[in-house]
């Protein structure tokens, strides 16, 4: 089975969401049992939120960059093809005149 891009994205999104949910659940349990939230639990929650932000942000930025690259590459290819067509038309016109 090939591990494709969609699978990797799904695993990273699921991990990020799981980390946030587990941090929130630990925070609630700590607050309702001890009536305070321990520093280690706050650290875990903050690391989960940081990881999730990185996963969602980097994925979105990379998608935008690849899309922009794809569009610019397509435009460059179309421009070169149009230039080639114009050159061929000029060449055909010169041959007709001669």
């Amino acid at each position: 089975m090939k591990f494709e891009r969609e699978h990797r994205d799904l695993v990273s999104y699921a991990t990020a969401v799981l980390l946030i949910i587990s941090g929130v659940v630990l925070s609630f349990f700590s607050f309702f049992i001890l009536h305070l939230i321990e520093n280690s639990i706050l650290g875990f929650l903050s690391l989960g939120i940081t990881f999730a932000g990185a996963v969602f942000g980097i994925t979105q930025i990379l998608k935008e960059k690849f899309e922009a690259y794809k569009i610019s590459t397509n435009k460059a290819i179309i421009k070169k093809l149009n230039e080639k067509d114009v050159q061929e038309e000029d060449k055909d016109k010169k041959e007709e005149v001669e």
Side-chain angles (χ1 to χ4, degrees):
M1 181 176 160
K2 190 174 179 182
F3 197 60
E4 296 187 14
R5 182 176 178 184
E6 291 82 20
H7 296 118
R8 285 182 284 165
D9 288 344
L10 182 63
V11 169
S12 60
Y13 292 155
T15 305
V17 170
L18 183 68
L19 279 173
I20 290 175
I21 290 172
S22 64
V24 170
V25 168
L26 278 174
S27 299
F28 276 112
F29 282 154
S30 174
F31 182 74
F32 288 120
I33 292 173
L34 301 174
H35 300 293
L36 68 114
I37 300 176
E38 293 289 327
N39 290 336
S40 59
I41 294 175
L42 285 176
F44 181 77
L45 179 62
S46 66
L47 287 174
I49 291 171
T50 303
F51 175 74
V55 166
F56 292 123
I58 288 174
T59 304
Q60 186 63 32
I61 288 172
L62 288 177
K63 283 181 183 178
E64 289 175 5
K65 293 290 182 184
F66 283 126
E67 187 66 30
Y69 177 74
K70 182 179 172 183
I71 290 170
S72 66
T73 305
N74 288 343
K75 285 182 180 178
I77 291 171
I78 290 171
K79 182 178 177 183
K80 287 290 185 183
L81 289 173
N82 288 338
E83 289 175 1
K84 186 177 179 182
D85 288 342
V86 169
Q87 289 174 354
E88 288 178 1
E89 288 176 4
D90 290 342
K91 187 177 180 181
D92 291 341
K93 287 180 183 178
K94 287 181 182 178
E95 289 176 359
E96 290 176 1
V97 172
E98 293 177 355

